[in-house]
Amino acid sequence: MEIQLRGEVTQFNLTQILNLEKSTVSRLVQQLEKKEWVNRETSPKDQRMKILRLSEKGLKVAQRLETSRIEKFNSILANIPENRHKEVIVGLELLIHAITPTNE
C-alpha cells in the first residue's frame, strides 16, 4: 500500500502514483475513511491539499495484507525450482518496468 510505504502522501500525489483519475482516488479514499483505515487532513502549507495517513486500524490491515502477500509469493516460489528463481525475479522486474508509467 502506497500510504504505508511513504508514511503519508497527498491525495494529489496518490493520484499520480496510482495513475488514476482524481475522482477515482477520491472515491477510494472516501471508502478507506469510512472503514477508518485512513485519516485525511488538510495540509497546513496549502489548504487545497489533503494529506493521507494510515490510521492505527489501517496500519494493522496493511500489515496483515503485507504478511499475506509475502506468504502467497513464497508459496508460489516454492513451486518453482530454486535454480530458476533468479529468472523469475528478472522477469518480474522486466514486467514491472514495462507497466510502470513514464513521465515522457
Side-chain angles (χ1 to χ4, degrees), residues 55-95:
S55 66
E56 192 172 318
K57 190 175 181 180
L59 188 56
K60 288 177 184 176
V61 170
Q63 288 168 341
R64 283 196 315 267
L65 285 171
E66 182 178 359
T67 299
S68 178
R69 179 184 55 82
I70 289 168
E71 288 172 356
K72 182 66 175 174
F73 282 126
N74 285 339
S75 77
I76 292 169
L77 206 53
N79 293 322
I80 298 171
E82 193 170 333
N83 64 338
R84 310 265 331 255
H85 285 188
K86 187 168 181 154
E87 291 175 60
V88 172
I89 292 168
V90 169
L92 288 172
E93 288 171 344
L94 183 61
L95 181 62

